[in-house]
Amino acid sequence: MQPFRQLKSVCYGRNKKASLQASEQVARQQQAVLKQFGAYGNSDNVVADEADLHHHQKLENLYISTRAAKHFQRDIVRGVEAYIVTASKQVEIGTKLSDDNRKYGAENTCTTATTLSKAALSFSTARAQMEKEHGNLFKALGMQVAEPLRAMVMGVPLEDARHLAQRYDRVRQKTEAQAIEVYRRQTKLREGTGNPEMGSKLEIAEAKLHDLKSNMQILGKEAAAAMVAVEAQQQRLTLQRLISMIESERAYHKKVLHILDRLETEMSPERQRIEAAPIPSQDTMPPPPSYEEVNSVPTSPMQNGSTVSGNGWAEGESMGKAGWFPFGYIERRDRVLATNVMMMSF
């Protein structure tokens, strides 16, 4: 009887792989003892116990599989939520960039051309559209991926199936303990060491064992069916959500690419126009008149009190310094005391 006192069934715990190995080892030891001492009286019961062991191992594997899938679903949910939080910050930055471009384009501060202003407005519109699509992607990932998986992780079917499996395991432990009790009473009865009531007590123990085994088999079938259904649902739903995530991101990038292509088409003429326009440079103008030319060569008539040379230069003042400046870059200002110079502004 000592070997049976040392045998224990392993409950569902944190480390299911270790639990499965221990359970298999215990079951093998029990089968060896039962075969050795001829438990239950014939080989049919041994075959039934082997079938139960196979069924128990199947439930263990289903438990491990559904738990791993549950953890995987939870990891996907956390990953999607973290992506949404991080990318939302990028949307804020992109929106600010769009607003800055719109503001510059609307103010149109440049006096010589509007090319950059038009390009800034086009960029602002495109960037706003891209960030809108980014927001739509977040909604799709949240509604089509994170929420369904979270609901399944916390769902009733999985918990019910796990509870059935745990109930089956508890009944199985009671059945094993009752089988040991029956064997003990059978041994005492054969040895003739028991009291006259040993026979009736053995019948009661055998009847209880029969009820426990029937209940265990029923619970085992129910738990296995529930776990198989949950496992299939986990596999199917998780795959569907992964495909949905891929489709949502693909649609987002496709729309963004279309927006960028359109923006490039809008900005290309502006780029060509600004690249083809001549760049004003002082190198293309004749040098300012020398002192001798100013004092000995007659210049053009006085215009609004300013002396203007005939080669595109004008005498003026900038930041408190007098000199000659390109005529196109000066602005008429009030006269400076006793001098006749033009104020210069860039």
Side-chain angles (χ1 to χ4, degrees):
M1 301 308 298
Q2 185 64 22
F4 284 103
R5 292 193 181 98
Q6 296 176 351
L7 301 179
K8 295 182 180 179
S9 298
V10 181
C11 299
Y12 293 95
R14 293 183 177 179
N15 192 338
K16 299 304 295 179
K17 291 184 179 179
S19 174
L20 176 60
Q21 294 174 354
S23 178
E24 291 176 352
Q25 183 179 4
V26 169
R28 292 193 191 99
Q29 292 175 349
Q30 288 177 334
Q31 293 302 317
V33 174
L34 290 173
K35 290 179 181 180
Q36 179 180 357
F37 293 100
Y40 307 121
N42 56 54
S43 60
D44 292 339
N45 286 319
V46 176
V47 174
D49 288 337
E50 291 177 349
D52 173 61
L53 174 61
H54 175 74
H55 192 73
H56 179 69
Q57 291 173 346
K58 180 181 179 180
L59 272 175
E60 287 277 2
N61 292 332
L62 284 169
Y63 195 95
I64 294 172
S65 172
T66 54
R67 187 187 63 177
K70 175 183 178 180
H71 291 172
F72 179 50
Q73 290 174 332
R74 186 174 58 193
D75 291 341
I76 294 176
V77 172
R78 290 175 176 175
V80 169
E81 291 176 343
Y83 170 76
I84 292 175
V85 171
T86 303
S88 296
K89 183 62 177 178
Q90 296 178 343
V91 171
E92 294 179 7
I93 297 173
T95 302
K96 177 64 166 56
L97 180 60
S98 173
D99 293 340
D100 292 340
N101 277 264
R102 178 189 53 78
K103 181 179 179 180
Y104 178 84
E107 290 179 354
N108 192 18
T109 57
C110 182
T111 59
T112 59
T114 60
T115 300
L116 181 58
S117 298
K118 293 179 180 178
L121 287 175
S122 297
F123 181 87
S124 172
T125 301
R127 173 55 63 180
Q129 292 173 347
M130 287 189 289
E131 301 309 340
K132 180 180 178 181
E133 295 298 335
H134 216 163
N136 293 337
L137 173 62
F138 298 159
K139 293 179 182 179
L141 293 180
M143 297 177 61
Q144 300 177 17
V145 179
E147 291 183 7
L149 291 179
R150 185 187 297 106
M152 191 167 187
V153 168
M154 306 299 296
V156 174
L158 176 60
E159 291 302 315
D160 287 348
R162 292 162 68 92
H163 289 160
L164 279 174
Q166 292 167 356
R167 284 179 57 193
Y168 162 80
D169 190 73
R170 290 192 294 268
V171 173
R172 187 173 187 271
Q173 294 179 57
K174 291 181 180 179
T175 303
E176 292 172 353
Q178 187 63 24
I180 295 173
E181 177 66 17
V182 169
Y183 175 77
R184 184 179 65 83
R185 292 185 180 278
Q186 287 176 342
T187 302
K188 285 186 176 182
L189 186 62
R190 285 195 301 268
E191 294 175 351
T193 59
N195 55 43
E197 298 179 355
M198 183 61 68
S200 60
K201 291 182 178 180
L202 175 59
E203 291 179 358
I204 294 174
E206 289 177 340
K208 183 178 180 180
L209 175 61
H210 181 270
D211 292 341
L212 285 172
K213 290 188 67 174
S214 298
N215 190 22
M216 179 186 69
Q217 292 173 356
I218 294 173
L219 280 175
K221 291 179 180 179
E222 293 178 355
M227 296 289 280
V228 167
V230 169
E231 183 185 54
Q233 185 184 27
Q234 285 178 328
Q235 298 292 310
R236 182 179 65 256
L237 178 63
T238 306
L239 177 60
Q240 289 175 348
R241 296 310 95 198
L242 285 175
I243 294 175
S244 177
M245 182 164 57
I246 293 172
E247 291 175 344
S248 297
E249 290 195 88
R250 181 177 180 273
Y252 160 72
H253 289 292
K254 186 176 180 180
K255 291 178 181 178
V256 169
L257 180 60
H258 175 71
I259 294 172
L260 291 173
D261 288 340
R262 187 177 59 192
L263 175 62
E264 184 180 23
T265 301
E266 293 177 1
M267 295 181 68
S268 291
E270 301 299 332
R271 182 181 64 182
Q272 296 173 0
R273 185 178 299 108
I274 200 170
E275 289 178 351
I279 301 177
S281 174
Q282 296 183 1
D283 296 338
T284 61
M285 298 180 62
S290 64
Y291 176 81
E292 291 78 8
E293 292 176 330
V294 173
N295 290 276
S296 60
V297 180
T299 61
S300 57
M302 296 287 289
Q303 297 181 4
N304 297 327
S306 300
T307 303
V308 180
S309 67
N311 58 2
W313 291 84
E315 186 180 14
E317 180 179 336
S318 175
M319 301 178 65
K321 296 182 179 181
W324 292 91
F325 304 94
F327 185 74
Y329 288 86
I330 66 172
E331 178 182 353
R332 168 74 175 175
R333 294 289 179 87
D334 295 336
R335 294 184 178 181
V336 181
L337 299 177
T339 63
N340 295 325
V341 294
M342 297 286 289
M343 294 297 295
M344 187 285 173
S345 65
F346 288 90

